[in-house]
Amino acid sequence: MKSPQLQRYSAGQRSNHWAVVTCFVLAGVSGFALFHPALFWLTNLLGGPQWTRILHPYIGIAMFLLFLGMFFMFVGANVWRKEDSAWLGSASKLISEGNAAKMPAVGKYNGGQKLVFWLFTLCLIVLLVTGLLFWQAWFAASVPIPLQRIAVLLHAIAAFVLVLGVIVHAYAAIWVKGTIGAMVRGTVSAAWARHHHPLWYRDQVAGKK
């Protein structure tokens, strides 16, 4: 018998998520192309060097604004709670044994997912602020060169950390079967929810009753 399905993400949340992913890929490709000469060939994917240089900051702003919408959609579920600290304290056991049933019960997101959420938020704020400081078309002319150099360095560091965070996020989504399906279809099985997010499952069942 097929397990009942629970709604985990609305159509709007899923659309917003994949729009952010699209902007991230485009910003990443254009950013890498401008970062190092060895990757300059990536400019061909965005119409050439000039278009890459023009589009990169606008794509970055679009990504930030889309993520801002995502932030307000999900911030309530990412408030840190005591069970998240307990979950992180047992994270090594999950990695070594791979059994989520032995982990402390968590809500809609576990401690690791919440850390990634706040890491994304911090990185995107740093990327936006620093990117504006050396945006040649609009603001760079009024920003001192030393400050621009610091902004470029911080921009690169934040981008590097963001890329690492996205890799971890994607790997975890692939590792936990059913996670990607939830962001595609919007639903998860009751068995999946009870196994991975028992406190959220309890709230969903109580809400339906």
Side-chain angles (χ1 to χ4, degrees):
M1 183 178 178
K2 188 176 180 180
S3 177
Q5 298 293 300
L6 299 176
Q7 186 74 33
R8 188 162 173 83
Y9 299 111
S10 68
Q13 290 171 333
R14 300 197 307 275
S15 299
N16 179 272
H17 173 271
W18 292 115
V20 171
V21 170
T22 301
C23 287
F24 170 79
V25 171
L26 294 174
V29 169
S30 55
F32 281 131
L34 299 172
F35 179 74
H36 195 278
L39 300 173
F40 192 68
W41 60 271
L42 290 172
T43 59
N44 295 317
L45 301 177
L46 285 95
Q50 295 302 323
W51 274 112
T52 300
R53 188 175 297 278
I54 292 170
L55 291 175
H56 178 74
Y58 288 104
I59 294 171
I61 290 176
M63 178 170 65
F64 179 85
L65 293 177
L66 287 166
F67 181 84
L68 189 62
M70 181 185 292
F71 177 87
F72 288 114
M73 290 178 189
F74 297 121
V75 65
N78 281 279
V79 174
W80 197 264
R81 305 185 187 282
K82 60 182 181 180
E83 59 263 24
D84 301 316
S85 298
W87 189 93
L88 277 183
S90 304
S92 58
K93 184 190 301 183
L94 176 63
I95 296 173
S96 61
E97 300 179 12
N99 189 352
K102 295 182 179 180
M103 297 293 290
V106 293
K108 188 170 186 177
Y109 300 112
N110 59 47
Q113 291 170 312
K114 290 183 178 182
L115 280 181
V116 169
F117 175 84
W118 290 109
L119 177 69
F120 285 179
T121 301
L122 177 61
C123 286
L124 284 169
I125 291 173
V126 173
L127 286 169
L128 176 70
V129 173
T130 56
L132 291 176
L133 290 176
F134 62 90
W135 191 358
Q136 296 296 326
W138 294 98
F139 307 110
S142 58
V143 178
I145 295 299
L147 182 56
Q148 287 191 48
R149 289 172 177 168
I150 295 173
V152 169
L153 176 62
L154 293 177
H155 195 83
I157 293 172
F160 178 73
V161 173
L162 179 63
V163 169
L164 289 181
V166 169
I167 291 173
V168 171
H169 177 62
Y171 177 78
I174 295 171
W175 184 39
V176 180
K177 186 178 179 181
T179 302
I180 295 179
M183 192 51 79
V184 174
R185 299 185 305 272
T187 59
V188 294
S189 68
W192 184 95
R194 186 170 56 247
H195 181 69
H196 293 288
H197 301 274
L199 298 184
W200 178 72
Y201 168 77
R202 181 197 64 190
D203 292 342
Q204 294 297 300
V205 172
K208 287 189 175 182
K209 288 182 179 179

